[in-house]
Amino acid sequence: MSKPSNARGTRDFGPLQMSKRKYVFNIIQKHFEEFGFQCIETPAIENLSVLTGKYGEEGDQLLFKILNSGDFLKDIQASDLEKGFKKITFDISEKGLRYDLTVPFARFVSMNRNDLVFPFKRYQMQPVWRADKPQKGRYREFYQCDADIVGSTSLINEAELISLFQSIFKSLNLKVNLLINSRKILTGIVDKLNKLELFTPFAVILDKLDKIGWEKVSNELLEAGFSQTDCNSIKDLIEFKGDNLAKLNKLKSFYGSNEIGLEGLNEIETTLKFVETNGFKNQNILFDFTLARGLSYYTGLIYEGKADEGSFTSSIAGGGRYDNLTAAFGMPNMSGVGISFGIERIIDVLDDLNKFPEISSSASKILLTYFDEAGQIESLKYVNQFRKAGISAEVYSELGKIKKSFEFADKKQIPFVGVIGDTEIASQKIMIKDMKKGEQNLLSFDEFIDQLD
């Protein structure tokens, strides 16, 4: 018999891990609702027609596809197989696991447009699946926590999402930089260089800068069709050092009268102006024109959060403005903007930095134990009283094993043990032991409740 194992890129979570996850989820959910976002959920399974074509060719390759039930090969001919997997994919698989939460959300908005109040602010906290290569901080099954605002083009919404970002990471006690850019700024650069037709390869290559360095980036730009003069101009922009304002002024000088580039700069300037009023210092909001993400659907501002401490360099949050996503579902002219928090990476970073507060894996506040059947019956009465009072409690199930009950409580990190014997029954009290301090006191039910308060 083979040893059981998880599917690659997936994990089990024990009680302590789940306690940590709930801690992070609760903080994020608290701030989502604090900012007025409403919760929705969508199915894990979507029609492939909903998913494909929304994430670019690479994204389509990473979709987990579900084989049709029954004889899924019954209509496939040998000649079809010779044409490759792309030819038969939709014949043998009509559904897939969702790749992210944004595209299903766009479908949801389109299907429920008559029942929603716009601008519609939604949040969603659910797992997604990607057939990616598993590595540190990257999994095939993971949760996303998204907040989106659709039905408004106001940059107030971008500023609100940045304030949401600041609030969440402040509560998590985690230093994270938010890099911001605009697709229009990238478009303006290639437009100014008269290479607008090379926008996509330009953005894809530029986004590799941190990983491969300028020399390799410039070589790839030359191969893509840019001239050496173009590369020199781009290098001059990249090497410029300064704060957000200085970088914006540098690009303003580069653009001259280029309309699309200046429009992108205005978006950044206006958003940063709005953000100044949010009560945070905002030194971690960094304008970076090399940032390019979600080219297949982002149309305006784009942003990416990266931890500013610890060994993790991967993105742990990101998002942007999209104007055409719902158009694919028959609902054009519905602009939206959103942000997604990568909870798996956030948890990994907090673990790596030992930044979780003291968290118990046990839900129970008190364990009740006893010496005999009379104490057992009394414990069952008390445990229900505790629960009705909103105190998580449990009864040790084994009769006459006091020592083992204390070992049980210690292993489960239950903070209090209540012992009930003849003396306790006669006095209508409980011998309460504080497992952390090692102290014990004979207390009535009400006295213990007051002590907890």
Side-chain angles (χ1 to χ4, degrees), residues 338-358:
I339 187 167
S340 178
F341 295 87
I343 195 163
E344 314 297 347
R345 291 182 182 174
I346 291 172
I347 291 169
D348 285 344
V349 172
L350 290 171
D351 256 334
D352 186 50
L353 296 171
N354 197 27
K355 283 209 167 186
F356 276 105
E358 187 174 334

Side-chain angles (χ1 to χ4, degrees), residues 14-244:
L16 181 57
Q17 292 162 309
M18 282 306 302
S19 295
K20 290 180 176 180
R21 292 174 69 80
K22 284 174 67 178
Y23 167 79
V24 178
F25 273 117
N26 290 341
I27 285 177
I28 294 175
Q29 183 173 358
K30 170 183 170 290
H31 287 294
F32 281 168
E33 294 180 354
E34 183 179 84
F35 276 70
F37 291 88
Q38 296 175 287
C39 184
I40 70 163
E41 287 194 353
T42 58
I45 299 171
E46 293 279 355
N47 291 320
L48 273 184
S49 58
V50 168
L51 299 173
T52 52
K54 311 300 190 305
Y55 309 105
E57 187 173 344
E58 182 181 356
D60 284 352
Q61 298 297 323
L62 299 180
L63 290 173
F64 273 111
K65 303 168 183 69
I66 301 171
L67 291 174
N68 294 338
S69 57
D71 184 4
F72 56 86
L73 289 175
K74 62 183 174 64
D75 296 323
I76 302 300
Q77 307 297 319
S79 57
D80 293 328
L81 297 174
E82 295 172 0
K83 295 176 183 177
F85 73 94
K86 288 185 179 180
K87 170 67 177 67
I88 64 170
T89 293
F90 285 93
D91 294 325
I92 66 173
S93 176
E94 298 171 354
K95 299 175 180 65
L97 297 177
R98 60 170 172 252
Y99 178 90
D100 72 353
L101 300 179
T102 305
V103 169
F105 171 55
R107 174 195 55 72
F108 173 89
V109 170
S110 299
M111 291 177 62
N112 296 278
R113 66 186 79 179
N114 296 324
D115 300 318
L116 300 176
V117 178
F118 295 100
F120 177 52
K121 302 175 73 172
R122 88 77 163 90
Y123 79 85
Q124 201 168 343
M125 305 169 73
Q126 290 185 273
V128 299
W129 294 267
R130 296 182 186 180
D132 212 344
K133 182 179 179 181
Q135 53 185 287
K136 184 178 182 181
R138 188 186 296 272
Y139 308 100
R140 287 178 170 171
E141 178 187 59
F142 57 97
Y143 268 78
Q144 284 187 337
C145 300
D146 286 14
D148 287 78
I149 307 168
V150 294
S152 170
T153 59
S154 172
L155 291 171
I156 286 285
N157 298 319
E158 274 84 346
E160 278 282 88
L161 291 181
I162 292 174
S163 294
L164 174 66
F165 171 93
Q166 298 281 52
S167 299
I168 286 173
F169 285 108
K170 181 181 179 182
S171 291
L172 290 171
N173 188 31
L174 193 60
K175 294 178 182 177
V176 181
N177 290 325
L178 185 69
L179 311 181
I180 64 170
N181 192 23
S182 171
R183 183 185 172 111
K184 295 173 184 176
I185 285 174
L186 295 170
T187 304
I189 291 172
V190 291
D191 190 32
K192 179 68 177 178
L193 298 174
N194 295 313
K195 296 290 194 311
L196 192 57
E197 73 281 3
L198 297 178
F199 169 78
T200 298
F202 167 73
V204 170
I205 294 168
L206 194 63
D207 200 40
K208 300 177 185 178
L209 185 63
D210 286 344
K211 297 176 182 176
I212 65 175
W214 168 250
E215 187 175 342
K216 290 183 179 178
V217 164
S218 62
N219 289 336
E220 289 193 21
L221 289 173
L222 290 170
E223 291 175 7
F226 288 89
S227 69
Q228 186 60 57
T229 302
D230 294 334
C231 288
N232 292 341
S233 297
I234 296 168
K235 182 182 180 183
D236 179 60
L237 293 175
I238 289 172
E239 291 185 341
F240 179 78
K241 304 298 180 186
D243 59 14
N244 291 339

